Amino acid sequence: MKPKYFITNIVVSLLSLSSCSLIEPGDIVNPNVDEDAYLHSTGAMATWVNGTKQKFATNIGYWCQMTEILSDNYFNNYTRSSNVFDIPRLLYTDDDVIAMQRAVGTMREMADYGISTVAKSDKPTREQLFTLYTVKAYGSLLGGETFVGLPMKSGGDIHPWREHLQQALTLLDSTMLYAASKADSAFVTTLKARAYYALGQRQQAVAAARQALAMSPDMLHQVTFDGANSVNSDIQQAVWLNWFQPLPRLDFLDPKYFQLTSDEQRPITIAKAEENYLIMAEADVAQNDLAAARQDLSQLLRLVKSRPVQANLNDQLEKRDNGVYKVYPKDPALRVRASAADSLRAGLIIDRQAPALITVPYISGTSVTQQMIDQLSSHDAALELVYLMRQEIFLCEGRRVTDLGIRLPVCEVEAAHASNAAEYTTAQIPSFIPLGQEMDAFTVDEATKTVTIKHNMNKVIVEHRTDPAVVPFE
C-alpha cells in the first residue's frame, strides 16, 4: 500500500509544473484539488508523465553526484555535498544514503502510480507507457547495482540485490512492448545486457549486447533537464562550479557537463552503445580470447572517436585549487602514472589557463589508443584495459561504484519497518578498497614534472577479480 501522503505530495508538485486547467490564473495552484480531482482532470496522464520525467532526471543528477565522489573518479574538494563518501564511510543513518534509497523508491513509485492508477482515468499513449516502464525498470536496476538489498515495496521486507536485478529484467520486457523504434529497442536491450552483466550471466549479457548493436550501432539515450525552469542537474553543478576535482589522470575528460549559457543544463547519458562493446570485450577476456577482445575494443574505440566533442570551451575559472583540502595539478607539462609501478603518460592534464580554450568529450572519451589495444598480450593486461575504458567512458554517469564492488546499506527508515533488516544495514566495502580517502590520493613532483597516483584501482580490481564483489564474468 502506497503512503497517501506520498501520492498527495507528488500530485501537488506536479500541478505546480503543469499548465492544465487545475492551475488557477496567475499560476496559483488550486489548494482544493485532491487526488481524485486530479485523476479526473484533463491531461492527467500527460501531467504525471511530465512530472515523472522531471523527477527522474533530478534524481539521476543527484545520484551521479553522490556516486562519483564515492568512487575514485572525483574528490569533493569543497564544503558542499558529502564529506564522508570520499573516505568511504557509508552508514545506514547517513542522510545521503537515505536520499539515494528514496531516489530509487521514488522512481519506482511514481512510475507504478502512473501505470496502475492514472492510466485507469486517462488512457496512456504508447510513448507514455514506454517512459513509465523505463523509469520503473531503471529504478530497480540502480537498486540492484548499488545496494546490498532494498524493499520492493514501501514498508516491506528487504530483498537482496540480485532479486532487484531480476525484477529490472522483467520490467524491461514490459518496457520493450512499447518501444516505437529500433533506437528504443536498442536502449531497452542494452539495459538488459547491463542487468545480465551485473548478475554475472555472461552468455545472456553478450547475446543482449550483440542484439542491441544490431538494432543500433551508435545508440544513445539521455535524460534531459530544463535550466530555464529550474530543473537542474546536481552533477553539473558539482563539476562545472569546481566543487569536485577529478583524479589527475581523468583531467582531460573534465568537465563532462558544462554551461555555454547561463541556464544551460547538459543531459546525462543512461545508456549508450559503448556499453555493449565493453560487455563483449570483458566476456572475451574471461574466455582468454584476446584476439576477439582486441577486435571488440577496436570497434569500441572507433565508436568513441566518432562521438562529438565541445571545442573552444572556456574553463579558465577552473584553477584546480577551488577548495579547502588540496590543490590539484593543472600544468599540461606534467606526466601522470596510475601508480608508482605504472608508466608515465603525457597529455592527461590539459591547459585550461587563460588564454587557453579546451576541447572536451561529452558523450564518451578515452585515453586508450589503438596501439595499446594491439599490444594486449595477457589476460590481466586486457582486463585492466577494459576497466580503464569503463572508467573513462562512463565518467560522471554514476557507474564506477558498481565496478569497485561498493554497495550501500538499506537506510534506517526502511530498516525500522523490515523484519529482516539486520543483515542489510552494513555497507559492502570490499577489503581491497583503500580507506582514508586514499582512492583519491596522489603526489606531485614539480622537479620531474610527474604526478603519481597512489592506487591504480583498475589494477586493484584485476588483482582481486575472483572476489565476488567485482568482475562478474570471472
Side-chain angles (χ1 to χ4, degrees):
M1 190 78 173
K2 300 177 185 67
K4 188 72 172 180
Y5 70 84
F6 172 84
I7 298 302
T8 301
N9 288 343
I10 293 297
V11 167
V12 171
S13 298
L14 293 185
L15 294 182
S16 68
L17 297 170
S18 172
S19 59
C20 71
S21 59
L22 294 179
I23 304 298
E24 297 285 1
D27 295 327
I28 299 173
V29 180
N30 186 339
N32 297 315
V33 173
D34 59 12
E35 182 183 349
D36 186 66
Y38 166 74
L39 289 173
H40 292 89
S41 67
T42 302
M45 178 58 79
T47 302
W48 189 264
V49 172
N50 181 54
T52 299
K53 289 168 66 176
Q54 293 188 33
K55 191 64 176 177
F56 181 55
T58 55
N59 277 339
I60 294 297
Y62 171 74
W63 187 275
C64 290
Q65 182 192 125
M66 301 313 302
T67 51
E68 289 301 301
I69 56 171
L70 178 53
S71 75
D72 57 333
N73 285 348
Y74 279 90
F75 177 71
N76 181 19
N77 206 30
Y78 207 55
T79 54
R80 302 286 291 270
S81 195
S82 173
N83 294 113
V84 298
F85 272 32
D86 269 319
I87 295 174
R89 185 169 71 221
L90 299 170
L91 302 178
Y92 84 121
T93 54
D94 188 291
D95 287 343
D96 286 309
V97 171
I98 296 170
M100 290 181 71
Q101 181 174 331
R102 186 174 292 126
V104 169
T106 299
M107 291 177 200
R108 297 189 306 199
E109 291 286 348
M110 287 190 70
D112 190 58
Y113 187 74
I115 294 165
S116 62
T117 302
V118 182
K120 293 178 181 178
S121 301
D122 187 7
K123 186 177 180 179
T125 65
R126 179 177 182 174
E127 181 181 3
Q128 289 169 340
L129 286 171
F130 183 80
T131 296
L132 292 173
Y133 273 107
T134 292
V135 172
K136 187 173 183 180
Y138 203 77
S140 291
L141 182 59
L142 289 184
E145 286 180 332
T146 317
F147 286 84
V148 293
L150 287 177
M152 285 188 169
K153 61 181 180 179
S154 180
D157 280 347
I158 314 301
H159 292 256
W161 61 269
R162 287 183 175 275
E163 292 185 24
H164 291 273
L165 291 173
Q166 292 291 353
Q167 183 183 57
L169 287 166
T170 299
L171 290 168
L172 288 168
D173 284 338
S174 298
T175 309
M176 186 66 85
L177 297 175
Y178 305 103
S181 66
K182 286 187 176 179
D184 284 348
S185 297
F187 161 61
V188 176
T189 307
T190 299
L191 292 184
K192 291 186 70 173
R194 175 174 162 182
Y196 284 128
Y197 171 79
L199 287 165
Q201 297 178 9
R202 177 174 50 81
Q203 291 183 339
Q204 295 92 325
V206 170
R210 293 192 187 282
Q211 184 181 8
L213 288 171
M215 294 171 179
S216 176
D218 59 355
M219 180 275 300
L220 177 69
H221 195 96
Q222 299 177 304
V223 295
T224 57
F225 299 84
D226 183 1
N229 291 294
S230 300
V231 182
N232 298 328
S233 167
D234 284 351
I235 184 60
Q236 175 170 308
Q237 187 178 38
V239 300
W240 181 242
L241 295 184
N242 310 329
W243 302 353
F244 293 2
Q245 302 293 355
L247 197 68
R249 63 180 183 77
L250 301 174
D251 180 271
F252 72 103
L253 297 170
D254 178 79
K256 194 168 194 172
Y257 311 117
F258 46 83
Q259 283 185 284
L260 300 178
T261 63
S262 61
D263 61 3
E264 181 183 26
Q265 293 290 304
R266 304 293 300 179
I268 295 176
T269 299
I270 61 172
K272 52 190 174 185
E274 286 89 333
E275 175 123 28
N276 298 303
Y277 285 115
L278 286 163
I279 287 171
M280 290 158 50
E282 189 168 340
D284 295 334
V285 175
Q287 299 173 89
N288 287 308
D289 190 344
L290 296 187
R294 286 191 293 268
Q295 182 177 1
D296 286 333
L297 291 173
S298 297
Q299 291 179 289
L300 169 61
L301 185 60
R302 286 194 289 272
L303 175 59
V304 171
K305 287 183 174 181
S306 75
R307 295 299 195 184
V309 298
Q310 178 61 50
N312 299 317
L313 179 65
N314 187 335
D315 196 29
Q316 294 165 9
L317 293 178
E318 172 59 85
K319 305 298 184 184
R320 292 292 182 227
D321 60 0
N322 182 32
V324 297
Y325 298 107
K326 55 187 175 182
V327 175
Y328 271 65
K330 58 186 178 183
D331 184 350
L334 290 164
R335 293 178 298 160
V336 183
R337 51 188 165 202
S339 74
D342 286 286
S343 300
L344 289 164
R345 300 187 66 192
L348 299 183
I349 295 175
I350 58 177
D351 184 8
R352 45 188 98 228
Q353 307 306 303
L357 301 176
I358 68 171
T359 296
V360 64
Y362 56 86
I363 300 299
S364 295
T366 184
S367 65
V368 171
T369 66
Q370 186 63 52
Q371 182 180 19
M372 292 168 67
I373 293 171
D374 292 342
Q375 291 176 346
L376 291 175
S377 59
S378 71
H379 170 279
D380 286 10
L383 189 58
E384 183 178 340
L385 191 75
V386 167
Y387 275 86
L388 172 59
M389 294 187 79
R390 285 184 65 89
Q391 182 178 25
E392 293 177 336
I393 288 169
F394 294 140
L395 183 71
C396 277
E397 295 173 12
R399 304 295 303 279
R400 180 65 168 176
V401 164
T402 301
D403 286 353
L404 292 169
I406 298 172
R407 292 184 174 276
L408 277 65
V410 70
C411 74
E412 65 174 337
V413 176
E414 291 293 348
H417 299 287
S419 62
N420 64 336
E423 60 185 299
Y424 298 102
T425 55
T426 300
Q428 174 181 289
I429 302 178
S431 60
F432 54 80
I433 297 293
L435 303 179
Q437 301 180 338
E438 283 199 1
M439 279 199 293
D440 305 301
F442 61 89
T443 57
V444 179
D445 187 330
E446 288 291 348
T448 59
K449 289 294 182 182
T450 58
V451 179
T452 303
I453 296 167
K454 188 165 187 177
H455 300 283
N456 179 352
M457 291 308 300
N458 294 310
K459 185 168 291 184
V460 170
I461 289 170
V462 173
E463 289 171 347
H464 294 85
R465 62 187 179 276
T466 58
D467 190 303
V470 293
V471 192
F473 290 164
E474 294 285 329

